[in-house]
């Protein structure tokens, strides 16, 4: 068993398998292509198809032209069939006339030769020469026929293989790199319909075959949308949007794109999916620098402004409102989480009315630019640093409660409590320090606080502080921003992640993590941070919740964030 597993996992085995599948697909697909060509050549199917396509595109003149061409084709075909009925008589008559004329001609030639040579036997000479020629033709034909019966099947297979190879008619994964091509096909209605028809959903394929317009009626207009195109597809009855979403990779390959270049979302309209298809390779190109770097007069506006976070897939500026909104951003390690969170804080720091208190539990200097700006800056990953961050949040809770109890009409500075690498706090097992005051005899006053700093239970000081701020902090402008890695129930409890108004995620490993990061509604609506490419999609976030402008029915938006390096941040 182990030997078989090793053999099947060997790269040479996979290469051989791709070779067999590729060339087998060439012959099978070549047979289908040739059959369609023959059928189109001998029937009016091509004219019917073009006529329906023209009608679906709203072009009646072109439809009438194809209808006329089809009528002319049918008339010519009928005439050919009528001619075939009289063909045997005409062929027999022609053969008799030909044989008689040829025989008479040969005898006349023989008579001339006999008179010229005074040899009566030469009269049948040309006739016998013709008979001998026919005999040799039969001999040669019999030899060629024998060889042809052996060679012909191979020639047929070679022809079918060449037709399939010319169309690269094999699965994309089986094609060699030089045949896959780097440029995707233009997205046209016929390409989209064909991609949907070949998606492997039997009701969808059957419905498209039965449609008078060959499926074109399912499609809305194809619109230019940034570095790609967008189209709404109304699915036929019996086909759910979820079935299409689950086949995103196959749909992308059918459209000659990579999986990360196709996004499927669910708009408001029933039984409709919205496809956004990138231009081939466009998402691998970097976006421009942040306006914070290029515009030296940029200002932040906590209450009425929107932070320039990056670009959406359309290429439009992605702006986000931070007013009275708690934030959570997650993702795998080293994918740009801190940089994306810091870009928002840098913009908000330009509003001098905002106070920052920052706990960086990574402690490698990512938040150094906020020295002198943040009233509290804690940097480090140890239990002692976690204890200081917990104290910072509890002081934030006390400030929140003071503001709530203040007289009506009292104004306060916005307070941002920011914790980066929050999973370190949740996973911290340390207990609170015994920092009770002492009396004149040096004995501690009161009971010792034995609550853990971290954890996900109600006894956790960090957890309790986060919940209190989430519950009431927004109304008095005490906000919590958290960044965390690899969300799980252990390092990001359900109540905490659901308390954030803005939930953003970079690349994640699994769909279950995506649901923890963004919520079931966003993932069911098409959000897929687990489909992003680790390392290649650094800084790309999928955002759900409040604060970002979404189209009606849209549950999330994908943003390619601007990167501001340490020197620029400083």
């Amino acid at each position: 068993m182990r030997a078989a597993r090793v053999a099947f996992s060997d790269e040479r085995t996979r290469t051989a398998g791709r070779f067999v599948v590729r060339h087998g697909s060439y012959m099978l697909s070549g047979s289908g292509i040739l059959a369609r060509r023959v059928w189109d050549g001998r029937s009016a199917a091509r004219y019917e198809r073009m006529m329906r396509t023209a009608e679906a595109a709203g072009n009646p003149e072109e439809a009438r032209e194809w209808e006329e061409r089809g009528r002319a084709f049918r008339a010519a075909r009928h005439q050919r069939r009528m001619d075939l009925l009289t063909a045997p008589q005409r062929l027999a008559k022609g053969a008799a006339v030909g044989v008689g004329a040829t025989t008479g001609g040969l005898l006349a030639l023989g008579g001339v030769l006999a008179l010229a040579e005074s040899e009566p036997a030469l009269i049948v000479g040309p006739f016998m020469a013709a008979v001998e020629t026919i005999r040799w033709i039969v001999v040669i034909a019999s030899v060629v026929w024998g060889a042809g019966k052996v060679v012909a099947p191979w020639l047929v297979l070679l022809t079918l293989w060449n037709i399939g190879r010319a169309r690269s008619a094999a699965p994309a994964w089986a094609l060699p790199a030089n045949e896959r091509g780097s440029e995707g096909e233009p997205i046209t209605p016929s390409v989209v319909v064909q991609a949907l028809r070949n998606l492997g959903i039997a009701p969808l394929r059957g419905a498209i075959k039965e449609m008078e317009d060959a499926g074109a009626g399912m499609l809305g207009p194809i619109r230019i949308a940034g570095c790609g195109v967008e189209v709404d597809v109304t699915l036929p009855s019996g086909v759910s949007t979820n079935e299409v979403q689950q086949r995103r990779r196959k749909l992308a390959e059918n459209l000659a794109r990579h999986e990360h270049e196709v996004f499927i979302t669910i708009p408001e309209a029933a039984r409709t999916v919205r496809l956004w298809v990138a231009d081939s390779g466009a998402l691998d190109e970097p976006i421009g620098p942040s306006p914070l770097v290029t515009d030296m007069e940029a200002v932040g506006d906590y209450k009425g402004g929107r932070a320039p976070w990056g670009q959406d897939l359309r290429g439009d500026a992605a702006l986000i409102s931070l007013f009275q909104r708690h934030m959570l951003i997650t993702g795998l390690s080293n994918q740009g989480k801190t940089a994306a969170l810091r870009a928002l804080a840098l913009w908000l720091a330009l509003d001098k009315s905002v106070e920052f208190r920052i706990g960086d539990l990574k402690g490698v200097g990512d938040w150094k630019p906020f020295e002198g700006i943040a009233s509290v800056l804690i940097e480090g990953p140890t239990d002692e640093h976690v204890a200081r961050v917990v104290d910072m949040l509890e002081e934030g809770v006390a400030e929140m409660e003071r503001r709530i109890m203040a007289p009506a009409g009292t104004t306060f500075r916005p307070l941002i409590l920011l914790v980066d690498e929050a999973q370190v706090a949740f996973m911290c097992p340390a207990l609170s320090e015994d920092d009770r005051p002492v009396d004149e005899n040096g004995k501690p006053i009161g009971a010792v606080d034995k609550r853990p700093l971290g954890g996900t239970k109600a006894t956790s000081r960090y957890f309790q502080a986060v919940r209190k701020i989430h519950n009431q902090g927004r109304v008095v402008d005490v906000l919590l921003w958290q960044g965390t890695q690899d969300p799980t129930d252990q390092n990001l409890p359900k109540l905490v992640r659901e308390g954030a108004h803005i939930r953003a995620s970079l690349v994640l490993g699994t769909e279950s993590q995506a649901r923890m990061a963004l919520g079931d509604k966003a993932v069911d609506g098409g959000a897929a941070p687990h489909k992003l490419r680790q390392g290649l999609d650094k800084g790309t976030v999928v955002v759900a919740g409040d604060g970002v402008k979404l189209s009606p029915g849209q549950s999330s938006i994908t943003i390619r964030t601007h990167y501001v390096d340490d020197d620029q941040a400083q």
Side-chain angles (χ1 to χ4, degrees), residues 9 193 274 283 329 347 358 396 467 556:
S9 62
V193 171
R274 178 168 294 159
L283 295 183
I329 182 169
W347 175 81
I358 299 175
R467 289 296 300 145
S556 66

Side-chain angles (χ1 to χ4, degrees), residues 423-438:
Q423 78 279 357
V424 176
F426 280 113
M427 301 293 287
C428 179
L431 300 178
S432 303
E433 295 182 3
D434 188 0
D435 54 0
R436 293 173 292 171
V438 296

Side-chain angles (χ1 to χ4, degrees), residues 437-516:
V438 296
D439 58 17
E440 63 275 5
N441 297 320
K443 293 184 177 181
I445 300 173
V448 64
D449 186 355
K450 295 184 178 181
R451 292 179 299 165
L453 295 176
T456 61
K457 297 181 179 179
T459 55
S460 165
R461 289 174 59 193
Y462 184 85
F463 176 80
Q464 284 297 325
V466 169
R467 289 296 300 145
K468 289 177 181 179
I469 295 170
H470 277 173
N471 287 340
Q472 295 180 295
R474 182 189 66 81
V475 294
V476 289
D477 292 318
V478 177
L479 305 176
L480 177 62
W481 294 5
Q482 295 183 96
T484 184
Q485 290 182 18
D486 224 1
T488 65
D489 284 326
Q490 288 69 42
N491 63 24
L492 189 61
K494 184 175 187 290
L495 291 176
V496 172
R497 59 183 184 252
E498 291 185 350
H501 302 106
I502 300 171
R503 298 168 70 173
S505 177
L506 295 101
V507 59
L508 289 172
T510 64
E511 182 179 327
S512 62
Q513 289 180 325
R515 292 183 181 277
M516 290 182 182

Side-chain angles (χ1 to χ4, degrees), residues 535-555:
L536 297 177
D537 289 324
K538 268 190 176 183
T540 298
V541 294
V542 183
V543 186
D546 200 4
V548 289
K549 290 184 177 180
L550 300 175
S551 302
Q554 190 177 358
S555 61

Side-chain angles (χ1 to χ4, degrees), residues 329 337-338 341-342 345 355-368 370-371 373-382 384-395 415-426 462 466 469 479-484:
I329 182 169
K337 169 175 51 61
T338 297
L341 188 60
R342 189 176 68 178
E355 178 187 357
F356 281 93
R357 299 180 188 178
I358 299 175
D360 175 15
L361 294 177
K362 186 191 300 181
V364 295
D366 290 332
W367 294 93
K368 281 291 183 186
F370 281 80
E371 282 186 339
I373 296 175
S375 57
V376 176
L377 180 58
I378 303 165
E379 298 178 286
T382 67
E384 180 183 349
H385 293 99
V386 172
R388 292 171 59 191
V389 168
V390 171
D391 290 340
M392 179 186 78
L393 259 62
E394 290 179 338
E395 291 167 3
L415 173 59
I416 306 296
L417 302 167
L418 192 154
V419 182
D420 196 7
E421 305 295 343
Q423 78 279 357
V424 176
F426 280 113
Y462 184 85
V466 169
I469 295 170
L479 305 176
L480 177 62
W481 294 5
Q482 295 183 96
T484 184

